[in-house]
Amino acid sequence: MFAYYKILGEKTFEQLKEKDFSWQYNSESNSIATIVKHLRGNMVSRWTDFLYSDGEKSSRNRDDEFENNLRTKEEIINLWNEGWQCSMAALESLSVEDLTREIYIRNQGYKVVDAVNRQLAHYAYHVGQIVFIGKMICNDRWQSLSIPKGKSVQYNKDKFASPKHGEHFTDELLKGKKD
């Protein structure tokens, strides 16, 4: 699921021009660049030394994450990739036994499985914001990341034309990304 949300963000980025990453609806809203900066800060803080130190690292400057000061798409994508690489490496290193261990975020204890779910929900929330902002910016140029409006009947017809099989709903999307 983490990989799925990463890909949704990236499929949004592909549809945007460089200037779009800094666009804000109003002064109280965040740009895509700011959301990426925040996600990266959160990911590096939470997942670095995940099992052994508090998830809110003293080196994190959370307030700075909300300054809209990134200017290039390359800079934004680099932060995006840094955060996801840190997250995925930590997730991939976990064993089944680790899932019941206790870790801390701001001195509050969590079972590892609960901390992982907390982060998944947090990332899904912000990727949803990125997608929504991307849709607003692209308007009628937007290419749907799921079943396009008015295409549900055909989509279901195609799905039910295939035999029943076991795969995760994200396999199709992820397979396209790996090719």
Side-chain angles (χ1 to χ4, degrees), residues 41-158:
N42 177 278
M43 290 171 167
V44 170
S45 185
R46 295 293 184 267
W47 298 104
T48 299
D49 199 30
F50 177 67
L51 295 174
Y52 306 103
S53 66
D54 195 280
E56 186 66 17
K57 306 294 185 281
S58 60
S59 59
R60 182 180 185 198
N61 184 350
R62 188 179 181 280
D63 291 333
D64 180 62
E65 294 167 15
F66 294 95
E67 295 297 321
N68 192 12
N69 57 6
L70 299 175
R71 295 295 168 235
T72 69
K73 185 174 182 175
E74 180 181 9
E75 188 179 17
I76 295 159
I77 299 299
N78 285 341
L79 289 180
W80 175 262
N81 287 329
E82 281 177 28
W84 284 104
Q85 286 168 358
C86 185
S87 298
M88 299 308 255
L91 285 165
E92 289 167 6
S93 74
L94 294 175
S95 68
V96 172
E97 294 78 29
D98 289 331
L99 298 179
T100 57
R101 290 179 62 169
E102 187 169 52
I103 59 110
Y104 293 87
I105 301 172
R106 297 186 182 106
N107 278 344
Q108 183 175 353
Y110 293 86
K111 296 290 183 203
V112 166
V113 69
D114 295 325
V116 168
N117 285 328
R118 171 186 163 150
Q119 294 312 117
L120 178 61
H122 183 220
Y123 303 159
Y125 170 81
H126 286 305
V127 171
Q129 292 173 326
I130 289 169
V131 171
F132 185 71
I133 293 167
K135 288 175 81 166
M136 287 193 303
I137 291 168
C138 291
N139 196 9
D140 59 356
R141 293 182 297 108
W142 178 253
Q143 295 174 358
S144 178
L145 304 181
S146 62
I147 304 167
K149 287 182 182 180
K151 304 288 184 186
S152 295
V153 171
Q154 185 60 50
Y155 181 84
N156 285 337
K157 182 179 174 184
D158 294 343

